[in-house]
Structure formats: structure tokens, C-alpha cells
Amino acid sequence: MSGSKDEELKAVQAALAAEHAAVYGYGVVGGRVGEKRRDDARTGYDAHRARRDELQRAVRDLGGEPQPADPAYALPFPVPDSASAVRLAAELEDRVAGVYSDLVRASTGTRRGNAALALREAAVRAARWRGGSVAFPGLAERSAAAPSAPATPQA
């Protein structure tokens, strides 16, 4: 396997791991988010399940074995209520966008286009959850340095 193909497989596996975590996280979000945001949670959950399945196929296409989901994932903070569930959803989307940014860099052709689309979709979902966007979604080092619109998550 060539170096670039190794890098691409590694980036696809990282995206798959992020999608496994997002599917798990959206299970928590859906259980804690208020009624007004429950459809958003279901949409995010379904989108991440579809991306996860797509990435499992991509790993196989690259000659790898898709890594399985962990039985559970550590959440970045406690999620006891709807407001924290909204924050968790935005955090999940930010993390997924970052991994897809890496996949865009590591891939070419159709896979690169799909990764860019997934990055954009995650950024849009994060902005909806957060109530505002960041300057460079998927690039944590740029997002942290750029001013962003203040927003209060809506529960």
C-alpha cells in the first residue's frame, strides 16, 4: 500500500471512529433534549448513521477492516438537561467537522468531495445547534483564533 493510500485509510478510519462516537452521542442528545429540538436530534442521528455506513464501505474499498464502535464513549461534559444536550450536539458536530477536514486533506476524487460535503453538513448542523457559526469550521486552530458571533444555545 502506498504512503498516500495508508494516510487516506487512516483518515477514513478516523472519520469512522468520529461517526461511531457521534451516533452514540446523539443517543444521549435525543434522550435529554427538549421536545422543540427532538426532530433536530433525530435528523443528526440519522445523518451520522448514514455517514458511518458509508465510511465502513470506504474502509473496505481501501483494503482495510472497519473499526467497530466502542460499547460506550466518554462525554466531554455532563449532560443532565436539555441545554447541555444542545451543547453536546454542537460539540459532536464540531469534532466530526474536524475529522472530515483531515479526510479532505488526505483524499482525492469522489472521496474528497464526499468528505467536503460531510464537513459542510456538520458545520451547518453545529451552527444550528449553537445558534451561530464559527469562521473556519473543521479547523480548530483557526476557529479558536477567529472571532465568532456570540450565541446562546436554544434548548
Side-chain angles (χ1 to χ4, degrees):
M1 202 179 262
S2 69
S4 64
K5 192 169 182 183
D6 285 341
E7 290 172 19
E8 186 174 14
L9 178 57
K10 187 176 179 181
V12 172
Q13 288 278 33
L16 176 57
E19 290 293 6
H20 283 314
V23 167
Y24 178 88
Y26 264 98
V28 174
V29 169
R32 306 267 186 344
V33 76
E35 187 65 36
K36 290 188 287 186
R37 302 301 301 268
R38 198 145 299 138
D39 285 343
D40 294 334
R42 185 176 317 281
T43 298
Y45 178 77
D46 290 344
H48 288 293
R49 286 182 59 206
R51 288 283 178 196
R52 177 202 61 197
D53 295 348
E54 177 184 310
L55 288 165
Q56 288 172 328
R57 288 187 294 276
V59 168
R60 286 186 193 95
D61 290 346
L62 288 167
E65 182 63 34
Q67 79 173 52
D70 290 341
Y73 292 85
L75 299 176
F77 48 82
V79 185
D81 55 25
S82 184
S84 59
V86 168
R87 279 196 348 260
L88 177 59
E91 176 74 18
L92 292 170
E93 297 298 349
D94 287 341
R95 290 179 180 198
V96 167
V99 174
Y100 278 113
S101 176
D102 293 340
L103 183 54
V104 167
R105 286 190 287 264
S107 58
T108 60
T110 302
R111 188 166 292 116
R112 184 177 197 173
N114 288 341
L117 178 61
L119 179 130
R120 185 189 69 142
E121 290 170 353
V124 167
R125 279 190 301 270
R128 286 183 180 146
W129 283 111
R130 187 179 291 108
S133 63
V134 297
F136 298 98
L139 300 175
E141 65 278 5
R142 300 264 179 133
S143 295
S148 62
T152 304
Q154 298 177 7

